[in-house]
Amino acid sequence: MRLNAKDLAGAVLLMLSKAQRTIRANAKDLAGAVLLMAVAIVGFWINLEDHAIGTARRMGPGYMPMLAFGLLAALAALTFILGLFNGPDPLERWTQAELLAVVGGLAVAIAVTWVLALQPGLISRNWYPLGLGMLAGCLVFSIPPRWRKLGLVTAGMVVFGLVLEIGGLFLAIALCIGVAAVADETQTVKGTLALILFQIVLCWFVFIKELDIRVNIWPQF
Amino acid sequence: MDLLIANLAHGFGVAFSLKNLAFCLLGCLIGTAIGVLPGIGPVATISLLLPITFGQEATTAIIMLAGIYYGAQYGGSTTSILLNLPGEVSSVVTTLEGYKMARNGRAGAALAVAAIGSFFAGTVGTVLVAASGPILTEVALSFGPWEYFSLMLLGLIISAVLAQGSVLKAIAMVVLGVGLGLVGTDVQTGQQRFTFGIPELSDGIGFVSIAMGMFGIAEIILNLERPEAREALKTKVGTLWLTKEEWKRATPSVLRGTALGSVLGILPGGGAALASFGSYMMERRMSKYGHEFGTGAIEGVAGPESANNAAAQTSFIPLLTLGIPANAVMALMVGALIIQGIQPGPRMVESQPDLFWGLIASMWIGNVMLLIINLPLIGMWVKLLEVPYRYLYPSILIFCAIGVYSLQNNVFDVYQTAMFGIFGYMCAKLRLEPAPMLIGFVLGPMMEEHLRRAMLLARGDPMVFLQRPISGVLLGIAAIALIAMLLPNLRKKKDEALAG
């Protein structure tokens, strides 16, 4: 029996192309499954460490978390397996700068929060470390244009939290809108200023005059 | 029957107080406005306004929030018809026939039939809520922890099955929501779970933070990434009335849409969006004028618009009678009630008659108001679209920030909301639906409580869930719903229906 090399190569190529057509990975599902799996594993592990499970008859505080995170892990695994075949649904391609910004932003946020939280004194109280950490992270995030909208809108929210108690409501509104406005290229300086003024008046009326929430409106010294 | 009338009379007495009327109108106005505006939906708006309702009485607060929900169904149809721009998910199908009608010069007729159909459906829906409320409440009072657990499980599964996209991922999101709901102090032992020593987490993750972050902040970012496509109104509205021929064609569609919407609204996981899609499919198949679909058939406006409003009303039934939210908006209502110190459930009819009957009466009054504020004022609502998104989104952001801060006067909630904003953005990019997660988050703690009580009473035997007849039937339905979605044929139909 003689093997025809040409036929063999043809058959292999055919098989490969068939395999390529049948194995269609769904990148979105795979990434989602990994995210859910990570939550499940962390939750399951913390639960085992910290909480008494109890028995089915007398459930302890750890019983329901065990069920929930166990089920989540199973569902994530199933999503992952099915995700190998039900694509293709590729994720949008990231450039190197974009990837760096995500990793860098996360690292900066954690590092800043960590370092500031260990400082004695005023800055380590009232969630300032968390706020400053998140702000730093968001700003790193905003370096590539792709994440600018995500980074700056979130940063606007964080700035509001940082400024509110020392700077007062009006300053917090102004800075929050100022930061968030940069996220949209069509925004003009004049328009932003007008919007800030309008929002200050509106928020004063709704939240201070009508609802009377307890918050400083002017900076505290 | 006499009792029903007496109860309704009591409800109208409550709803006709000046304050409740004013807030009902306010809710309807806000609802119409956000219905017209694409990019902000009822879920985001209600979570935005939740903090504002704290100072009010519970009845007034719920009346206003409900007005936002069904008001949005009215407003959503206006821009769908005039500009081919659905303001809400539930009015996406209205663009199919409605916009074609507008291009044929029948914009006025399309708007009129949408409003009249909605009003009729809203009225029927309100009567259904009033009539079925007390009956279902009777049944629910005989429920033990087994039935409650099974019912909630059924609700979660159906809400996942009917969610957009992959059922598997939706169930995973439900379970993730249940997991997030476990954070905080364990009710029975007082132990802190998953709080990482953060005192702010001992009461659990803020419900408002999750809703605002995932539906408000994440939406803003996603909207900014999409290029803005808005056109000025070119079509002439014309006379706001129907011809005799149109009346004849639209009436059966309104009736069918109302019936279908009422049923789909009660289903857990159902709601306005599903009802309008379902009705469109049904009309295309059942109408004598099925061949005209795609060229501006009035049935394709009358049916879905009636259906979504009927569903918006009847989705209050599971909430008011069983305390179980049927969709994300109702989950927010549960949150609003709990913050007011009211535990939603079958006892609400007796312990809070003002709230229960007042809300029902206000829903009908609200529908009348909507008819009035929508038809003659359509020009004004369309003008609203000329407000560019660049002025809108910083305002939404500010309201989110102040609102969430004012919950506990704590900036931690602001940061927490920002984090859920990023998480919501990630979920949207990975096609993980946030709505099932929110329902899981609300139902999770209640399910745990019932599960623990049920297992304690049953001495640790899980078979009791199948042995109790009602509980067994509910679990059976859940199983059937799950299996049905595994059939490729049915799944394809669902995807078609939800994708329009």
Side-chain angles (χ1 to χ4, degrees):
Chain A
M1 192 178 145
R2 276 190 311 159
L3 266 178
N4 188 331
K6 225 177 176 178
D7 282 357
L8 201 67
V12 168
L13 272 181
L14 193 75
M15 263 170 66
L16 273 180
S17 73
K18 243 191 190 159
Q20 225 165 21
R21 248 182 289 137
T22 42
I23 300 181
R24 296 170 305 175
N26 183 335
K28 283 201 179 90
D29 278 13
L30 295 184
V34 170
L35 179 74
L36 293 173
M37 186 58 107
V39 176
I41 290 173
V42 171
F44 204 88
W45 183 64
I46 293 177
N47 188 46
L48 280 184
E49 295 274 302
D50 291 0
H51 311 141
I53 304 292
T55 60
R57 182 171 174 186
R58 287 195 172 276
M59 292 182 187
Y63 204 93
M64 185 75 171
M66 182 185 73
L67 293 181
F69 289 116
L71 187 60
L72 184 62
L75 290 167
L78 200 57
T79 309
F80 191 90
I81 294 167
L82 291 179
L84 289 173
F85 306 105
N86 66 3
D89 192 355
L91 286 164
E92 295 150 46
R93 237 171 233 296
W94 293 8
T95 65
Q96 208 170 8
E98 285 161 2
L99 185 69
L100 268 178
V102 171
V103 177
L106 215 60
V108 166
I110 294 170
V112 171
T113 308
W114 196 279
V115 170
L116 290 181
L118 294 176
Q119 300 291 317
L122 208 67
I123 198 107
S124 64
R125 283 189 319 199
N126 201 20
W127 299 106
Y128 283 122
L130 179 63
L132 289 168
M134 282 179 75
L135 180 62
C138 285
L139 293 180
V140 174
F141 236 56
S142 312
I143 294 172
R146 171 89 167 271
W147 309 125
R148 202 158 284 165
K149 295 184 162 84
L150 174 64
L152 287 175
V153 169
T154 315
M157 188 95 181
V158 174
V159 164
F160 179 89
L162 281 172
V163 175
L164 186 63
E165 285 180 0
I166 35 168
L169 181 66
F170 293 167
L171 193 62
I173 291 174
L175 289 175
C176 170
I177 295 181
V179 171
V182 186
D184 187 8
E185 300 87 358
T186 59
Q187 203 83 260
T188 59
V189 176
K190 232 163 115 188
T192 308
L193 288 177
L195 187 62
I196 289 173
L197 208 63
F198 172 75
Q199 277 303 328
I200 286 179
V201 174
L202 182 70
C203 291
W204 172 80
F205 180 78
V206 174
F207 291 99
I208 305 295
K209 190 162 176 297
E210 289 297 316
L211 295 170
D212 195 22
I213 64 168
R214 302 267 158 248
V215 64
N216 304 317
I217 55 177
W218 299 111
Q220 303 294 300
F221 298 106
Chain B
M1 196 65 198
D2 287 345
L3 193 66
L4 181 66
I5 291 169
N7 280 329
L8 276 177
H10 175 70
F12 275 102
V14 174
F16 264 117
S17 81
L18 194 63
K19 198 169 85 193
N20 287 343
L21 273 182
F23 276 97
C24 182
L25 179 65
L26 183 67
C28 290
L29 285 173
I30 296 174
T32 310
I34 57 130
V36 168
L37 292 169
I40 176 160
V43 182
T45 313
I46 293 175
S47 51
L48 214 73
L49 294 180
L50 263 187
I52 297 181
T53 62
F54 290 172
Q56 296 170 339
E57 277 169 49
T59 309
T60 313
I62 298 295
I63 283 178
M64 183 182 83
L65 297 179
I68 296 174
Y69 180 46
Y70 54 77
Q73 316 306 328
Y74 274 81
S77 58
T78 307
T79 45
S80 296
I81 292 169
L82 291 178
L83 301 171
N84 201 18
L85 202 71
E88 297 306 321
V89 195
S90 56
S91 45
V92 169
V93 286
T94 309
T95 58
L96 299 176
E97 301 305 317
Y99 184 62
K100 294 268 165 52
M101 279 182 76
R103 288 201 5 211
N104 297 345
R106 296 301 296 158
L111 289 168
V113 81
I116 296 165
S118 295
F119 175 71
F120 174 77
T123 309
V124 173
T126 307
V127 171
L128 274 177
V129 178
S132 63
I135 301 170
L136 272 173
T137 304
E138 281 298 283
V139 178
L141 281 175
S142 67
F143 278 16
W146 305 276
E147 282 79 17
Y148 266 110
F149 179 81
S150 304
L151 191 65
M152 290 179 185
L153 195 67
L154 173 67
L156 288 182
I157 286 177
I158 294 194
S159 74
V161 163
L162 296 178
Q164 248 168 323
S166 149
V167 177
L168 184 62
K169 285 200 282 183
I171 296 178
M173 286 305 272
V174 166
V175 179
L176 178 66
V178 173
L180 289 177
L182 293 170
V183 174
T185 312
D186 174 38
V187 190
Q188 290 188 14
T189 59
Q191 191 180 354
Q192 302 280 309
R193 293 190 290 190
F194 307 104
T195 53
F196 306 99
I198 299 171
E200 277 81 355
L201 286 180
S202 65
D203 285 336
I205 298 175
F207 171 75
V208 179
S209 293
I210 293 190
M212 264 191 200
M214 300 204 52
F215 289 93
I217 312 279
E219 268 304 307
I220 292 180
I221 302 162
L222 291 166
N223 282 329
L224 281 175
E225 288 188 350
R226 261 175 243 138
E228 195 172 16
R230 284 188 193 171
E231 43 178 324
L233 177 65
K234 286 187 212 89
T235 38
K236 269 184 85 176
V237 175
T239 164
L240 281 170
W241 206 241
L242 306 180
T243 62
K244 218 171 174 185
E245 163 79 7
E246 283 167 336
W247 274 114
K248 230 173 94 191
R249 286 179 56 175
T251 309
S253 306
V254 168
L255 294 176
R256 278 195 294 262
T258 303
L260 183 76
S262 302
V263 175
L264 289 181
I266 302 174
L267 278 188
L274 183 78
S276 61
F277 286 117
S279 167
Y280 184 79
M281 306 290 275
M282 188 168 85
E283 287 307 317
R284 198 163 60 184
R285 202 150 300 166
M286 291 186 64
S287 165
K288 259 193 301 185
Y289 301 89
H291 57 278
E292 276 184 32
F293 271 62
T295 60
I298 195 163
E299 290 85 353
V301 179
E305 279 301 318
S306 309
N308 70 21
N309 213 43
Q313 311 289 337
T314 55
S315 56
F316 277 90
I317 292 177
L319 173 75
L320 292 174
T321 56
L322 306 169
I324 294 178
N327 54 40
V329 172
M330 293 304 134
L332 284 163
M333 296 282 178
V334 172
L337 286 170
I338 288 175
I339 292 168
Q340 293 275 0
I342 298 169
Q343 184 63 44
R347 283 174 213 289
M348 232 164 59
V349 184
E350 281 185 5
S351 62
Q352 304 281 340
D354 279 11
L355 178 86
F356 187 88
W357 296 106
L359 173 63
I360 290 172
S362 89
M363 287 183 350
W364 191 76
I365 298 171
N367 273 290
V368 178
M369 287 178 177
L370 282 165
L371 198 61
I372 299 169
I373 52 186
N374 265 278
L375 280 185
L377 298 180
I378 261 166
M380 194 188 90
W381 294 117
V382 175
K383 278 252 158 53
L384 199 60
L385 275 175
E386 285 167 18
V387 178
Y389 196 65
R390 63 169 184 275
Y391 293 139
L392 222 49
Y393 82 87
S395 311
I396 300 172
L397 196 67
I398 278 292
F399 266 72
C400 276
I402 304 181
V404 80
Y405 173 80
S406 69
L407 286 178
Q408 304 182 39
N409 279 15
N410 193 330
V411 286
F412 180 77
D413 290 323
V414 179
Y415 301 143
Q416 191 175 239
T417 308
M419 286 187 216
F420 274 107
I422 298 177
F423 182 67
Y425 176 85
M426 270 164 61
C427 286
K429 286 284 163 188
L430 297 175
R431 300 232 179 88
L432 297 166
E433 288 287 313
M437 188 188 114
L438 195 64
I439 300 176
F441 179 78
V442 171
L443 285 182
M446 300 187 213
M447 276 177 85
E448 183 187 16
E449 214 184 305
H450 289 299
L451 178 67
R452 280 162 99 165
R453 199 176 308 151
M455 291 300 273
L456 186 66
L457 290 172
R459 296 164 200 278
D461 177 18
M463 288 311 284
V464 73
F465 286 103
L466 295 175
Q467 283 155 0
R468 306 260 313 186
I470 300 180
S471 163
V473 169
L474 292 169
L475 289 180
I477 300 173
I480 291 170
L482 261 185
I483 293 164
M485 272 304 127
L486 296 179
L487 302 174
N489 235 343
L490 263 174
R491 198 168 55 204
K492 223 173 92 197
K493 277 226 177 85
K494 182 202 82 168
D495 287 346
E496 266 171 25
L498 285 175

